[in-house]
């Protein structure tokens, strides 16, 4: 007679669990905590993760585990702890959190992934010579490294906020900290915002550490990803560089985590579990007694506030290496420009003449606008009718390349009408500028310049992104026009001029972080200029030249920006002074959506006797309809996330629906 045993299992569904299954004798040896198994749930077979093995169960006739999907447990104890934390904090089920931590390719059967050879190597970017050796740290870097090393020596968990302008030597600090951890036999994770946009950074890590590096990013095809994962598990790779999900890399003896550009919004996962990889990184480091370095030229308000409060150790690298000057920034008031010309123009006189000058001197120019397409809306001059998407509450953008009016939210496309569909007049006009229009204007104004555009439309095809960059690097392109795709990481010494076509696009968004976004983006874009010996200049065009975000960006003055922004946040009780969660209700019938939101609001109020929560709304979402679904929001504010999620759990009780309406919960939303 063998003793029966049971497994507590969670699944990748919005249902809390865990659920108990019996373990058949044949599987007893193999089913362990962390195993990935197949179980029957409802009337389907689904993937589940074993979170506990128990000798007894009160429940009779439990269903058995169908089979085991991977002999070696996929998730170790620390990862169990981390995914549990994620599910509690970000309001997902534990199964959903584990599922996010394990790459899809490993969740299928063992057979399909075992020992596949890499079929095609990744496109590589070379990094300049000499990067394989450590540089001699300057005094600021030495100070930083000393404190980091001390924590590593003593197995102390500690959060460092490394604040330094671009080119101040942050990356060199990361590299040497990693090398030190390696000497102590400890592994490292480096998170970068979007790996496809930072090929130079990755190349630099490879140059220094070679085969010890594994790179994880979303574009990796399944087999290659499984391969990198295996190299990490086997201990061959001890340093992992990757985007968001690399924080789940199965490294042992984690000593150091680096989050580069810690303020970046791309660290936030848009799907369940809606985690912020920066904050998960802090937790993972904490659970491993590891050091974590958050690096940025423009730290998030949250991180800088925590550093000021003494929760993080602030390290400042105030100057560029070799004291190279930051580019000169000039603000052009487009209101004056408009008054003078009596018309809206894309290029101010100032920007035009600088472009002319620089390309005639054989230098390179970057022009930045965070909107793609040709015209951003089409409307009738007679009746004011605006062409909008049939399914979303947004105006259609005209794309010259396809000659279509397109919805940027659902892809809906139509031929733009010559005659107004409302009043039949022929006064249909195209307004607003996108990158396509900028590109065409540049062609018109500078017919002899070699011009390229980089945005998601232009880089649709695999490899075009790299191609454009390498042409720009070889100076086969004089002027590069692009969206925020070109704002990050690019390091081209011949770029002497950066023009921001409009600083106001981000500023006008209905979001309390719009000031912060604008400051970050402008600072980042400005950092593309003057990286060589020829110096650099940035021209920012704006209709709101007095805004503190723009002024602070002009003066490269983070502290000034921080001071103004933090008092604004304090006054309105916004993060970092409170924690927030956003509940979105969506459905095809607007009355039902609103009713569901109101009903949840009432239930929340009832549980909120101690007034731990501030409940705002329901209010229509900024884009009130997407793909035919109406959207209404509730905002919850509190001093602690735990107070919000505790009440939510009582009210929603394992469901994410109300009256047939889908509810999504986003904790600390962006
Ligand atoms: P950041 O990450 O802050 O942008 P980097 O670490 O990339 O700064 O440094 C900027 C440039 O200065 C790089 O080319 C780097 O190789 C160089 N550099 C960094 N630290 C030193 C140093 N201690 N001595 C000489 N050059 C350095
Ligand atoms: Zn009309
Ligand atoms: Zn649409």
């Amino acid at each position: 007679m063998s003793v029966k045993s049971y497994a507590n299992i969670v699944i990748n569904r919005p249902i809390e669990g865990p659920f108990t299954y019996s373990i058949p004798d044949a599987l007893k040896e193999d089913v362990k905590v962390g195993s990935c198994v197949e179980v029957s749930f409802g009337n389907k077979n689904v993937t589940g993760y074993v979170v506990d093995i128990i000798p007894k169960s009160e429940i009779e006739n439990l269903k058995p585990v169908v089979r085991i999907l991977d002999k070696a447990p996929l998730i170790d104890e620390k990862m169990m702890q981390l995914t549990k934390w994620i599910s509690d904090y970000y309001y997902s089920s534990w199964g959903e959190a584990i599922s996010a931590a394990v790459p899809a390719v490993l969740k299928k059967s063992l057979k399909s992934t075992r020992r596949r050879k890499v079929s095609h190597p990744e496109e590589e970017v070379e990094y300049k010579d000499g990067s394989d050796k450590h540089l001699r740290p300057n005094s600021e870097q030495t100070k930083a490294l000393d404190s980091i090393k001390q924590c590593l020596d003593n197995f102390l968990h500690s959060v460092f906020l490394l604040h330094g302008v671009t080119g101040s030597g942050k990356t060199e600090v990361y590299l040497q900290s990693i090398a030190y951890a390696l000497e102590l036999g400890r592994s490292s994770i480096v998170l970068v915002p979007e790996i496809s946009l930072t090929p130079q950074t990755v190349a630099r890590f490879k140059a220094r550490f070679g085969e010890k590096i594994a790179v994880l990013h979303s574009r990796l095809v399944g087999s290659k990803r499984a391969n990198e994962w295996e190299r990490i598990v086997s201990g061959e790779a001890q340093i992992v560089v990757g985007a968001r999900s690399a924080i789940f890399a199965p490294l042992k003896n984690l000593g150091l985590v680096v989050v580069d550009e810690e303020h970046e919004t791309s660290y936030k996962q848009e799907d369940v579990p809606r985690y912020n990889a920066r904050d998960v990184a802090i937790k993972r480091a904490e659970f491993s007694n590891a050091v974590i370095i958050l690096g940025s030229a423009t730290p998030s308000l949250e991180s800088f506030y925590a550093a000021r409060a003494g929760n993080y150790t602030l390290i400042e690298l105030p100057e560029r290496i070799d004291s190279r000057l930051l580019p000169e920034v000039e603000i052009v008031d487009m209101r004056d420009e408009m008054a003078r010309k009596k018309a809206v123009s894309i290029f101010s006189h100032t920007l035009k003449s600088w472009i002319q000058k620089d390309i005639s001197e054989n230098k390179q120019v970057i022009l930045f606008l965070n909107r793609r397409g040709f015209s951003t809306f089409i409307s009738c001059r007679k009746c004011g009718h605006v062409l909008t998407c049939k399914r979303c509450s947004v105006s259609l953008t005209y794309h010259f390349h396809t000659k279509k009016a397109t919805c940027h939210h659902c892809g809906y496309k139509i031929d733009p009408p010559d005659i107004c569909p409302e009043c039949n007049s022929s006064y249909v006009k195209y307004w607003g500028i996108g990158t396509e229009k900028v590109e065409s204007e540049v062609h018109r104004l500078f017919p002899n310049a070699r011009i390229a555009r980089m945005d998601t439309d232009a880089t649709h095809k695999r490899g075009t992104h790299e191609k454009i960059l390498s042409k720009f690097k070889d100076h086969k392109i004089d002027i590069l026009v692009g969206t925020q795709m070109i704002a990050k990481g690019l390091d081209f010494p011949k770029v002497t001029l950066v023009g921001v076509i409009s600083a106001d696009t981000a500023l006008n968004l209905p979001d309390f972080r719009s000031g912060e976004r604008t400051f970050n983006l402008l600072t980042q874009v400005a950092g593309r200029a003057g990286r060589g010996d020829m110096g650099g200049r940035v021209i920012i065009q704006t209709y709101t030249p007095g805004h503190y975000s723009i002024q602070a960006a002009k003066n490269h003055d983070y502290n000034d920006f921080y001071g103004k922004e933090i008092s604004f946040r304090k006054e309105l009780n916004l993060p970092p002074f409170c924690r927030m969660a956003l509940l979105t209700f969506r459905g095809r019938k607007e009355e039902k959506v609103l009713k569901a939101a109101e009903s949840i609001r009432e239930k929340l109020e009832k549980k909120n006797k101690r007034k731990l929560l501030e409940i705002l709304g329901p209010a229509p979402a900024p884009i009130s309809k997407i793909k035919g679904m109406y959207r209404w929001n509730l905002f919850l504010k509190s001093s602690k996330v735990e107070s919000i999620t505790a009440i939510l759990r009582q009210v929603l009780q394992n469901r994410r629906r109300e009256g047939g309406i889908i509810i999504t919960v986003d904790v600390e939303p962006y």
Side-chain angles (χ1 to χ4, degrees):
M1 264 292 299
S2 69
V3 191
K4 263 198 173 305
S5 61
Y6 301 88
N8 280 340
I9 289 172
V10 295
I11 57 171
N12 182 17
R13 292 281 170 86
I15 294 176
E16 204 53 55
F19 305 96
T20 308
Y21 289 82
S22 68
I23 306 175
D25 282 346
L27 295 180
K28 241 180 210 162
E29 293 277 293
D30 295 332
V31 174
K32 299 186 185 99
V33 171
S35 291
C36 181
V37 295
E38 186 176 314
V39 290
S40 143
F41 189 83
N43 46 15
K44 273 209 196 99
N45 278 12
V46 299
T47 301
Y49 309 97
V50 179
V51 296
D52 204 3
I53 305 274
I54 48 173
K56 269 202 268 248
S57 173
E58 304 289 295
I59 314 160
E60 293 190 7
N61 296 327
L62 284 168
K63 287 192 223 168
V65 171
V66 177
R67 64 187 179 118
I68 183 152
L69 296 175
D70 201 334
K71 288 236 158 129
L74 275 182
I75 317 134
D76 67 13
E77 206 174 301
K78 287 233 167 70
M79 203 47 74
M80 284 285 175
Q81 191 186 8
L82 187 67
T83 50
K84 183 75 176 82
W85 177 82
I86 289 173
S87 73
D88 288 341
Y89 194 87
Y90 293 103
Y91 202 80
S92 76
S93 74
W94 195 358
E96 288 172 315
I98 293 177
S99 189
V102 178
V105 59
L106 293 176
K107 289 180 226 159
K108 301 200 194 83
S109 78
L110 234 192
K111 249 182 251 153
S112 65
T113 61
R114 190 164 39 192
R115 269 184 282 287
R116 262 203 210 147
K117 281 277 170 280
V118 189
S119 46
H120 45 88
E122 286 284 293
E123 284 160 79
E124 295 278 334
V125 178
E126 295 276 316
Y127 192 74
K128 48 187 180 240
D129 298 338
S131 53
D132 54 334
K133 289 184 221 74
H134 284 332
L135 300 164
R136 214 174 117 199
N138 64 21
S139 65
E140 305 293 336
Q141 288 171 321
T142 305
K143 246 188 357 213
L145 285 164
D146 284 348
S147 356
I148 291 164
K149 286 176 180 175
Q150 204 186 359
C151 290
L152 282 169
D153 282 335
N154 295 306
F155 273 79
L156 275 181
H157 165 61
S158 186
V159 186
F160 290 91
L161 178 60
L162 187 56
H163 174 217
V165 293
T166 43
S168 60
K170 295 188 293 298
T171 310
E172 190 58 36
V173 172
Y174 307 155
L175 290 163
Q176 298 198 22
S177 304
I178 293 167
Y180 191 77
L182 212 56
E183 277 175 36
L184 300 174
R186 301 181 73 187
S187 59
S188 304
I189 299 177
V190 183
L191 296 185
V192 292
E194 269 162 282
I195 208 141
S196 60
L197 302 184
T198 46
Q200 287 176 321
T201 310
V202 176
R204 199 161 154 196
F205 279 88
K206 280 197 174 158
R208 192 78 51 102
F209 298 110
E211 286 302 303
K212 291 201 180 71
I213 298 245
V215 180
L216 294 174
H217 60 84
S218 56
R219 283 214 210 164
L220 274 187
V221 289
S223 59
K224 170 95 187 194
R225 178 171 275 267
N227 203 292
E228 290 293 82
W229 194 265
E230 264 179 35
R231 289 183 55 229
I232 301 165
V233 172
S234 73
E236 183 189 328
Q238 289 159 285
I239 303 157
V240 173
V241 182
R244 203 168 52 217
S245 64
I247 194 55
F248 301 114
L251 286 163
K252 296 197 182 61
N253 297 325
L254 185 66
L256 177 69
V257 184
V258 172
V259 183
D260 192 25
E261 311 282 359
E262 65 86 26
H263 62 278
E264 277 287 331
T265 51
S266 60
Y267 284 125
K268 175 83 176 172
Q269 158 111 334
E270 298 295 338
D271 288 322
V272 179
R274 297 187 166 77
Y275 66 87
N276 186 322
R278 175 195 62 211
D279 299 326
V280 175
I282 294 172
K283 270 292 150 187
R284 181 157 184 195
E286 185 190 318
F287 293 157
S288 308
N289 280 330
V291 171
I292 174 161
I293 309 173
L294 309 176
S296 177
T298 54
S300 63
L301 268 275
E302 284 83 351
S303 297
F304 207 72
Y305 182 73
R308 280 277 174 91
N311 299 334
Y312 301 169
T313 308
L314 181 63
I315 303 177
E316 304 257 11
L317 300 179
E319 268 169 46
R320 278 187 157 180
I321 297 287
D322 298 337
S323 310
R324 202 176 287 148
L325 290 178
L326 287 163
E328 179 136 340
V329 181
E330 185 175 337
I331 296 175
V332 175
D333 187 343
M334 294 302 274
R335 293 172 305 187
D336 296 347
E337 198 76 21
M338 189 156 82
R340 203 169 326 124
K341 287 206 209 137
K342 310 249 180 312
V344 183
S345 54
I346 300 179
F347 294 104
S348 58
H349 177 71
T350 311
L351 181 53
K352 229 177 342 196
S353 23
W354 276 107
I355 298 175
Q356 186 64 62
K357 179 172 177 293
D358 279 27
I359 55 174
S360 70
E361 288 170 5
N362 206 25
K363 296 167 178 169
Q364 287 178 299
V365 177
I366 285 178
L367 296 176
F368 172 82
L369 178 65
N370 217 359
R371 261 186 326 221
R372 57 202 177 84
F374 192 82
S375 304
T376 47
F377 66 106
I378 303 169
S379 77
C380 170
R381 270 228 261 223
K382 192 153 174 224
C383 75
H385 174 74
V386 176
L387 216 58
T388 54
C389 177
K390 224 170 45 178
R391 304 191 285 165
C392 313
S393 60
V394 294
S395 61
L396 298 178
T397 297
Y398 179 66
H399 284 256
F400 185 77
H401 179 69
T402 55
K403 306 272 188 297
K404 300 273 187 205
T406 307
C407 171
H408 282 179
H409 287 273
C410 72
Y412 172 76
K413 278 190 187 94
I414 53 166
D415 294 321
D418 299 325
I419 289 174
C420 171
E422 275 302 300
C423 73
N424 289 329
S425 83
S426 56
Y427 298 121
V428 177
K429 201 171 179 271
Y430 293 62
W431 314 78
I433 28 169
T435 42
E436 262 189 338
K437 174 97 142 256
V438 174
E439 184 190 14
S440 103
E441 270 296 289
V442 180
H443 271 294
R444 194 176 66 79
L445 293 169
F446 309 102
N448 297 324
R450 294 161 300 175
I451 299 154
R453 176 168 54 90
M454 190 141 95
D455 53 29
T456 45
D457 298 318
T459 55
H460 228 65
K461 256 183 35 209
R462 218 189 151 99
T464 32
H465 180 256
E466 291 81 359
K467 242 177 242 157
I468 298 172
L469 283 185
S470 101
K471 273 174 84 173
F472 194 56
K473 179 171 158 246
D474 298 341
H475 202 164
K476 289 182 182 133
I477 295 167
D478 301 306
I479 304 175
L480 183 63
V481 178
T483 54
Q484 60 181 349
M485 265 182 125
I486 59 171
K488 281 174 212 153
L490 304 187
D491 184 6
F492 299 113
K494 282 173 94 176
V495 175
T496 50
L497 176 65
V498 165
V500 177
I501 303 298
S502 167
D504 307 327
T505 49
L507 214 48
N508 294 332
L509 294 174
D511 174 356
F512 74 85
R513 287 197 174 90
S514 64
E516 185 178 4
R517 290 243 176 106
T518 300
F519 176 75
N520 292 350
L521 204 53
L522 291 177
T523 304
Q524 220 163 52
V525 179
R528 302 310 113 218
R531 299 177 80 91
D533 306 326
M534 293 182 286
R537 170 174 298 270
V538 180
I539 312 276
I540 298 176
Q541 302 190 146
T542 172
Y543 285 93
T544 50
H547 194 284
Y548 62 84
S549 293
I550 294 175
Q551 285 296 329
K554 170 186 157 64
N555 300 323
H556 307 288
D557 192 343
Y558 177 81
N559 288 320
D560 177 39
F561 164 74
Y562 176 81
K564 298 206 161 92
E565 183 70 19
I566 202 80
S567 50
F568 155 73
R569 303 278 180 96
K570 182 155 195 183
E571 202 171 306
L572 299 181
N573 188 30
L574 290 165
F577 297 97
C578 76
R579 304 285 155 190
M580 274 183 155
L582 167 66
L583 265 58
T584 302
F585 299 76
R586 57 196 162 92
R588 295 195 181 276
K589 295 235 166 64
E590 192 161 23
E591 321 82 70
K592 281 180 90 180
V593 175
L594 181 56
K595 225 174 116 190
E598 277 167 346
S599 149
I600 291 294
R601 185 194 161 111
E602 262 170 47
K603 290 179 189 171
L604 288 167
E605 296 282 14
K606 273 191 203 133
K607 300 277 178 205
N608 191 27
K609 297 244 161 59
R610 288 164 56 207
K611 294 277 168 256
L612 292 173
L613 256 56
E614 189 184 335
I615 308 170
L616 307 164
I623 299 170
S624 58
K625 192 173 95 178
I626 294 179
K627 294 185 187 171
M629 304 284 260
Y630 290 92
R631 296 147 60 93
W632 282 72
N633 288 342
L634 279 182
F635 264 105
L636 312 180
K637 280 163 73 173
S638 181
S639 60
K640 274 193 183 146
V641 160
E642 290 76 6
S643 312
I644 299 176
T645 46
I647 293 187
L648 271 181
R649 286 203 164 83
Q650 291 176 42
V651 167
L652 295 180
Q653 291 179 350
N654 240 336
R655 293 167 306 138
R656 278 181 226 153
R657 275 173 184 275
E658 173 78 5
I661 294 301
I662 302 161
I663 308 170
T664 57
V665 179
D666 190 351
V667 175
E668 305 201 277
Y670 270 126

